Amino acid sequence: MTAPRTVLLTGAAGGLGTLMRELLPSYGYRLRLFDRLPIEGEPDAIVADLADREALRKAVHGVDAVIHLAGISLESTFEKILQANIEGTYNLYEAAREEGVRRIVFASSNHAVGFTPRPRDGSAAIPVNTPRRPDTFYGLSKGFGEDLASLYWDLHGMETVSVRIGSCFPRPTSVRMLSIWMSPGDCARLLHAALTAENVGHTVVYGSSANTRLWWDLSSARALGYEPQDDSEEYAAELIAAQGELDPENPEHAHLGGAFCTDPPAWPY
């Protein structure tokens, strides 16, 4: 697939959106920015909510593809998750369908399978087709988004790569994150591969760097042309010295979703 030139980036004011605003233009993309909050230094950004169908229709008009990062990224009430992550994602897909957009990259999450037991030493990596076991309403909404993407591929021929993102920060901040960390550079590489790979239909991939302690299988991401270049291991000694190794008897450490399975961090708004 020829690299799309104009890409709508929803959630552009968020942490991940801010990182991608800096990195994706180097791949030749012209980004159209969308967020419910104003973005400093970006006067042309579209400031609107995912509930605003008219604004979404204008946002997707004429773009070649969409990277959908917008929504609630922590746990919240079901009502708030329903509006932002479930209805909001549906509104985006409908706007894209109406405007003839053929490729979406959907920010799913490892929390769609968060209650999956984490691999122990010597055990097999978690496959991308492992049964979904959401750990929160947030994780549940990401499973919905994956199914919505599958439906729109089968019904309307709209292609989606659903990326089950681990944790994308400049550096990992916990021992758990050593296994699911994705560097910003690798995130940009994965999104570029998801935008340009041929014949993806609806493809689900895990999103992380090539970490020595990796918990899941990156083969479906690599099949898109993704070649991760970073590894969290350079941060391991420092984090383990400060926090200790993961304890298999600790419920927070027993599952892929970590603290989301026991005491999930709450969305502040």
Side-chain angles (χ1 to χ4, degrees):
M1 181 178 179
T2 303
R5 293 184 59 206
T6 302
V7 174
L8 175 66
L9 179 67
T10 73
L16 183 55
T18 297
L19 291 169
M20 294 305 101
R21 287 188 350 243
E22 298 171 355
L23 294 173
L24 285 174
S26 66
Y27 289 85
Y29 300 115
R30 181 171 62 248
L31 298 180
R32 182 180 298 173
L33 308 179
F34 181 101
D35 202 285
R36 67 183 185 87
L37 299 174
I39 303 172
E40 185 176 356
E42 298 288 352
D44 295 331
I46 300 168
V47 180
D49 191 272
L50 290 171
D52 188 337
R53 295 191 180 190
E54 182 178 351
L56 277 173
R57 185 80 181 261
K58 292 178 179 177
V60 299
H61 178 73
V63 303
D64 300 292
V66 177
I67 298 173
H68 183 42
L69 306 180
I72 292 174
S73 59
L74 299 172
E75 182 62 320
S76 188
T77 65
F78 180 75
E79 290 74 19
K80 290 182 179 179
I81 293 286
L82 175 64
Q83 181 179 27
N85 291 17
I86 295 178
E87 293 178 351
T89 300
Y90 165 75
N91 291 339
L92 173 72
Y93 268 80
E94 269 297 282
R97 180 189 65 80
E98 291 168 347
E99 291 294 330
V101 178
R102 311 311 299 171
R103 176 70 58 93
I104 295 176
V105 180
F106 169 62
S108 186
S109 171
N110 69 97
H111 297 292
V113 291
F115 266 114
T116 303
R118 69 172 176 87
R120 307 297 174 88
D121 292 343
S123 58
I126 298 170
V128 77
N129 64 350
T130 194
R132 284 207 297 265
R133 296 180 65 176
D135 51 29
T136 45
F137 291 136
Y138 165 70
L140 183 70
S141 75
K142 294 304 181 178
F144 168 84
E146 292 181 11
D147 285 345
L148 186 73
S150 178
L151 177 66
Y152 272 65
W153 162 241
D154 288 330
L155 280 182
H156 306 300
M158 292 171 57
E159 294 191 305
T160 297
V161 177
S162 292
V163 182
R164 289 179 181 164
I165 297 171
S167 296
C168 185
F169 298 100
R171 57 179 291 163
T173 59
S174 70
V175 174
R176 170 181 173 269
M177 205 181 293
L178 292 171
S179 298
I180 63 171
W181 177 67
M182 181 162 56
S183 70
D186 278 342
C187 184
R189 293 179 191 101
L190 179 51
L191 294 181
H192 174 60
L195 287 168
T196 56
E198 298 282 353
N199 302 319
V200 301
H202 176 231
T203 297
V204 180
V205 305
Y206 288 115
S208 69
S209 292
N211 303 314
T212 297
R213 300 165 189 257
L214 188 65
W215 283 345
W216 50 48
D217 181 8
L218 287 178
S219 60
S220 61
R222 292 181 183 275
L224 300 175
Y226 173 53
E227 297 182 3
Q229 297 182 16
D230 297 315
D231 186 342
S232 64
E233 196 64 17
E234 63 178 295
Y235 306 102
E238 177 185 354
L239 286 168
I240 292 169
Q243 302 175 12
E245 293 277 7
L246 296 180
D247 178 4
E249 302 305 316
N250 184 338
E252 182 177 322
H253 298 169
H255 300 98
L256 181 61
F260 277 64
C261 297
T262 56
D263 185 22
W267 185 246
Y269 306 110

